[in-house]
Amino acid sequence: KMKKMSFFLSILTVAILSCSKGDKPGTDDTDLYADAPRSELPAEISPAEWRYGSVSALAYYDDRANFVAHSEESLREFKVTRDGFVEFVQFLSVPTGSCYNMTYTFLKGTMKWEAPNKLTWTPVEGEFYKKFPCSGTNNVRKADRDDLNRIKSVYWYKLEDLTFSGKKDYIVMYTDPSMQSQFQAFAYKIIK
C-alpha cells in the first residue's frame, strides 16, 4: 500500500507542477527562451500593443461586382508585456487583378530594454502563412533558426506625438542610434 501511495503522490505532484506553469513562454521543459535576452520594459511602452496598419481606399472587385480586397492592406503589431515577452503579427495583402496575394507572420519572443532607448527584439518561435490563390499556393511553415536569426533586430526609439493630440502615443523605431530620418523603420501607435 505504501508503494502505491508514494507512486500516486509522485504522479499527483508532477500533474500539479505541470498545470501550474501556465501559458507564459519559456516555462516548459524545453525552454526555448533560456538564451533569449529579456528585461522589464518601461511603463511608457508596456504593457501595450504597438500597431502599424493601413488599408487602401481603392478596392478590387471580381467580374460579378463582388468585393475581392482592398488594393493594399498591411498590419504589423507587437504585443509586449511588462516583463519582456512579445508576440508579433504581420499581415500583408495585395490584389493582382481578381486574385490577392496574402502573407501572414506570427512570432513569439522576447524584448530587452537598455537605457535610455535601445530595444533588442529576439524572435524565438513562430510560423509563416502564404496564400496566393491564382497560383494555387497555400502553405504554412514553421520558422527555423535561420529565419529567426534574420528577423532578430536592434532598434532605438523615440516617443512622439504624430497626430498632434498632445500625447506622445507613438513609438518611432530606428535602425541606427543617431535616429535620423533615413534610419526610421516604423512608427507604431501605442495602445494600452
Side-chain angles (χ1 to χ4, degrees):
K1 279 188 170 182
M2 200 59 158
K3 285 184 181 180
K4 285 183 182 178
M5 186 61 135
S6 296
F7 179 73
F8 176 73
L9 287 174
S10 299
I11 296 297
L12 183 61
T13 302
V14 169
I16 290 170
L17 289 175
S18 65
C19 290
S20 66
K21 290 182 179 178
D23 293 331
K24 205 156 228 186
T27 56
D28 63 359
D29 291 335
T30 58
D31 190 354
L32 300 172
Y33 293 75
D35 296 327
R38 180 175 65 88
S39 70
E40 188 167 302
L41 301 178
E44 60 194 5
I45 62 172
S46 71
E49 295 174 10
W50 307 341
R51 190 175 297 156
Y52 166 85
S54 67
V55 175
S56 171
L58 299 174
Y60 283 98
Y61 294 84
D62 65 14
D63 58 355
R64 295 193 175 97
N66 295 314
F67 173 78
V68 174
H70 293 283
S71 63
E72 183 179 342
E73 296 175 292
S74 65
L75 169 75
R76 289 175 61 97
E77 181 179 271
F78 284 93
K79 187 182 287 186
V80 296
T81 66
R82 186 89 164 115
D83 57 354
F85 286 107
V86 178
E87 289 184 4
F88 172 81
V89 172
Q90 177 173 275
F91 172 78
L92 302 170
S93 174
V94 179
T96 56
S98 62
C99 289
Y100 66 94
N101 296 329
M102 181 184 80
T103 62
Y104 177 80
T105 302
F106 176 71
L107 301 169
K108 291 166 103 178
T110 62
M111 194 164 281
K112 182 179 180 185
W113 177 79
E114 296 176 54
N117 60 355
K118 182 179 175 184
L119 293 169
T120 302
W121 153 230
T122 305
V124 174
E125 58 185 320
E127 64 184 28
F128 305 104
Y129 174 69
K130 187 187 303 184
K131 182 176 181 181
F132 297 169
C134 287
S135 66
T137 302
N138 189 8
N139 64 30
V140 176
R141 77 171 179 83
K142 292 271 186 211
D144 62 28
R145 182 60 38 212
D146 288 340
D147 295 325
L148 299 171
N149 286 336
R150 278 193 302 274
I151 296 168
K152 181 178 178 176
S153 303
V154 175
Y155 295 109
W156 290 264
Y157 71 91
K158 289 188 225 178
L159 295 180
E160 295 189 18
D161 175 9
L162 298 179
T163 58
F164 306 104
S165 65
K167 294 188 285 184
K168 291 188 174 186
D169 55 356
Y170 278 82
I171 183 168
V172 183
M173 313 281 264
Y174 297 87
T175 57
D176 185 85
S178 68
M179 292 189 279
Q180 295 178 359
S181 60
Q182 67 263 34
F183 299 113
Q184 184 175 329
F186 283 94
Y188 298 96
K189 169 94 170 152
I190 299 172
I191 301 166
K192 288 200 166 223

